[in-house]
Structures are given as C-alpha cells and as structure tokens.
Amino acid sequence: FKYGLKDGKGEFAPSPSSGEKPLTGYWMDDKYMGKDRVDPYEIEHKEGSVSPRIYMTGPGNIIDITVVDPVDNSNVAANIQMIGQGNPREDTSYHKYFFEDVKFPVEFDIRYQVRNKLGGLNGSTAMADNSIRIKITKPGKWSITLKN
C-alpha cells in the first residue's frame, strides 16, 4: 500500500462471501495492472547520445518536454510526434512543448539536432542527430528534459 491505496506487487485475497477471485500481480494507484510489472515510463528506443531526465511532479494529465543544447544550455527546437490523445501546445519563443489533457498511456517520438561539444573540422560547428521514443503509462504531471 502507498498512501492507503494498493500499489506494487501483491496478492489480493477477497473474503469468501464476496464472490471475487483472488489476484496476484501488480497494482498502481489502487488499480490492478496485471500479472506483469508496469513501469511508470519506458524508453523504447534511443539513438545518439541523448540523456533523458524524466520525472513526475504531481497528479494531473500534463507533460512538458524541453530539449537542451549541450554547448550553451539553450532550449532547441524538436520534432515531437505524440502517439495517443492530448492537446499539444508549443511556446515557440522558448522551444518548450506542452501536452495537456493527456490520456495515458501515451508515447512520444522525439527527433532533434544539437551542437556537438567537441566541434567539427576546422573549428566548424558539428551537429548531432538524436531520437528517442518514450512511453508514459502512469497518469500525472510529467516533465521530460533531453540533453546530450
């Protein structure tokens, strides 16, 4: 139990008179998720040197995504495809992406380019291509920051 709700691996043994069947498996926020563990999020695919920071800040149905350039820590534009339901909104002046009224589970395919800290030939700026697919299964207010 977590905060009085079934959460994690366990066995449910109902009273014989209830007519319910016993269950063994995983619960999340008092809901039976099945016999197999369900992580709150999964990284299903990753290319490049992307380093994701993914955390839940509280209850809700909002996800914000930020991609950070490793050279000067500025936010950069990304190509984000949401697979699921929600209302996308972009703050174009700061390259921050918000998804509101999200229905979980939801997936994101994110592709972007950032400058390489090591630079290119003859002092030119080298670019690094990156992509990641993130699946979020647990409802909440999520923050995703991608940095190389």
Side-chain angles (χ1 to χ4, degrees):
F1 285 86
K2 183 177 179 182
Y3 304 114
L5 303 174
K6 292 184 280 292
D7 198 86
K9 185 177 182 180
E11 294 180 25
F12 172 69
S15 67
S17 63
S18 72
E20 295 179 89
K21 294 182 180 181
L23 293 172
T24 300
Y26 291 86
W27 280 260
M28 186 184 300
D29 297 329
D30 218 34
K31 295 177 187 156
Y32 181 68
M33 303 304 290
K35 291 185 179 188
D36 298 320
R37 179 184 165 115
V38 177
D39 291 321
Y41 70 86
E42 301 171 26
I43 296 172
E44 297 182 338
H45 173 78
K46 185 170 94 163
E47 286 184 21
S49 59
V50 58
S51 179
R53 182 170 181 233
I54 305 168
Y55 57 96
M56 187 168 66
T57 61
N61 56 358
I62 298 171
I63 299 171
D64 70 76
I65 300 174
T66 306
V67 179
V68 179
D69 187 297
V71 175
D72 62 5
N73 289 321
S74 64
N75 294 350
V76 297
N79 179 359
I80 301 174
Q81 179 183 1
M82 180 176 66
I83 303 161
Q85 294 181 358
N87 297 317
R89 180 173 58 85
E90 178 184 357
D91 181 338
T92 55
S93 59
Y94 293 103
H95 296 298
K96 286 190 70 89
Y97 304 87
F98 300 92
F99 297 85
E100 300 169 336
D101 301 321
V102 174
K103 304 287 187 226
F104 294 88
V106 65
E107 294 182 50
F108 293 94
D109 276 330
I110 306 169
R111 298 179 187 286
Y112 64 95
Q113 282 190 329
V114 292
R115 294 178 289 176
N116 185 330
K117 285 183 185 179
L118 301 176
L121 298 174
N122 301 324
S124 65
T125 302
M127 300 300 285
D129 291 324
N130 299 278
S131 67
I132 189 168
R133 176 176 265 200
I134 301 169
K135 180 179 183 180
I136 301 177
T137 58
K138 184 175 182 176
K141 184 176 181 184
W142 289 89
S143 183
I144 300 171
T145 302
L146 305 176
K147 186 173 182 179
N148 289 42

